Amino acid sequence: MSEAYIEAKKEFINCLVMSVFGFGIPIVIAFKEWLPIMRAEKQKANA
């Protein structure tokens, strides 16, 4: 996996964990910002 994918995955998991304390705002950030990066990097790796 690429460095960008690993970083995005780490931040995605952090956002999911922090959504407990952030009233759901981090979960929105996780799915709007980090998930598309993860998908793009995974697609590049599979191509």
Side-chain angles (χ1 to χ4, degrees):
M1 292 291 159
S2 71
E3 183 69 31
Y5 178 82
I6 293 169
E7 182 68 25
K9 184 175 181 181
K10 184 177 83 170
E11 290 299 327
F12 181 79
I13 292 170
N14 285 342
C15 285
L16 293 181
V17 170
M18 290 305 293
S19 67
V20 174
F21 305 110
F23 304 108
I25 294 169
I27 204 164
V28 172
I29 295 169
F31 283 97
K32 286 195 165 233
E33 185 174 340
W34 297 112
L35 189 61
I37 294 171
M38 288 171 58
R39 286 182 178 158
E41 289 297 322
K42 196 170 205 175
Q43 190 175 33
K44 272 198 274 184
N46 290 337

